[in-house]
Amino acid sequence: LQRDEKTRMKEQALNKSQQMLEEDVTRFDTFLQANDAKAHKAMKVAEEKTKEKQERMQKIKQMKQQISAIQSEISKNKEQKEECIKYKEFLDKLTPQEWKDKQIDLKKERRRKRREDYVNSRTAKINKRMQADLDA
């Protein structure tokens, strides 16, 4: 009887140990699955970040190329401007003073005429409005 009792106790202890072992295995499997999911998520995030970084680097490269092209164009335009200034100075030296004076006078006359035309047109509009108010 004592043997049966000891055997039963050992079986119960063995069953309890086996149950605890199964629970540990289940918890460990759950831990491994969670860890695996976290690792996959971390890999996905890392891949996305790498892709974003590559896209930003590509955009930076394109912008640097655009800046370089614009700087080149600016430099070319500056050279053209300097050349034009030299030609203008040369032509100014060749141009007689009387012709320059005449051009200045023509420019003043055109400006005076434009001003006079503007004043006349505004005056006509105002007179027309006043006449319409008087007729009403």
Side-chain angles (χ1 to χ4, degrees), residues 60-73:
I60 288 170
K61 184 178 177 182
Q62 289 174 348
M63 289 180 163
K64 284 183 178 181
Q65 288 174 345
Q66 288 176 345
I67 288 171
S68 178
I70 290 170
Q71 286 175 335
S72 174
E73 190 174 336

Side-chain angles (χ1 to χ4, degrees), residues 4-129:
D4 287 344
E5 184 66 24
K6 273 186 175 180
T7 305
R8 193 176 58 75
M9 293 277 259
K10 283 188 178 184
E11 280 181 5
Q12 284 179 347
L14 186 60
N15 285 339
K16 189 172 184 181
S17 291
Q18 190 173 357
Q19 185 181 5
M20 288 174 61
L21 185 59
E22 287 175 3
E23 288 174 0
D24 285 348
V25 167
T26 304
R27 280 193 304 251
F28 188 66
D29 282 344
T30 304
F31 166 77
L32 285 178
Q33 288 174 352
N35 195 30
D36 192 41
K38 287 179 186 177
H40 283 298
K41 185 176 180 181
M43 289 291 287
K44 192 172 187 175
V45 167
E47 288 172 1
E48 289 173 1
K49 296 291 183 183
T50 301
K51 184 179 177 183
E52 289 174 8
K53 182 179 179 182
Q54 288 174 344
E55 289 171 355
R56 283 194 307 271
M57 294 301 288
Q58 184 65 28
K59 190 169 186 174
I60 288 170
K61 184 178 177 182
Q62 289 174 348
M63 289 180 163
K64 284 183 178 181
Q65 288 174 345
Q66 288 176 345
I67 288 171
S68 178
I70 290 170
Q71 286 175 335
S72 174
E73 190 174 336
I74 287 172
S75 177
K76 184 178 103 178
N77 289 340
K78 282 183 179 180
E79 289 174 12
Q80 286 179 343
K81 176 187 168 191
E82 293 300 320
E83 194 172 325
C84 287
I85 288 173
K86 287 179 186 176
Y87 285 127
K88 182 185 180 307
E89 290 172 354
F90 172 73
L91 291 174
D92 284 345
K93 288 178 184 176
L94 292 178
T95 306
Q97 188 60 41
E98 310 91 44
W99 185 86
K100 290 180 188 177
D101 293 342
K102 183 177 180 185
Q103 294 305 310
I104 291 171
D105 291 342
L106 289 173
K107 186 175 182 180
K108 285 180 183 178
E109 181 58 29
R110 282 192 305 269
R111 185 178 292 150
R112 187 196 61 73
K113 177 87 169 92
R114 276 196 307 269
R115 189 176 297 131
E116 183 179 310
D117 290 346
Y118 173 76
V119 169
N120 288 340
S121 87
R122 289 290 294 152
T123 304
K125 286 180 185 177
I126 292 170
N127 287 339
K128 188 174 181 182
R129 197 177 318 138

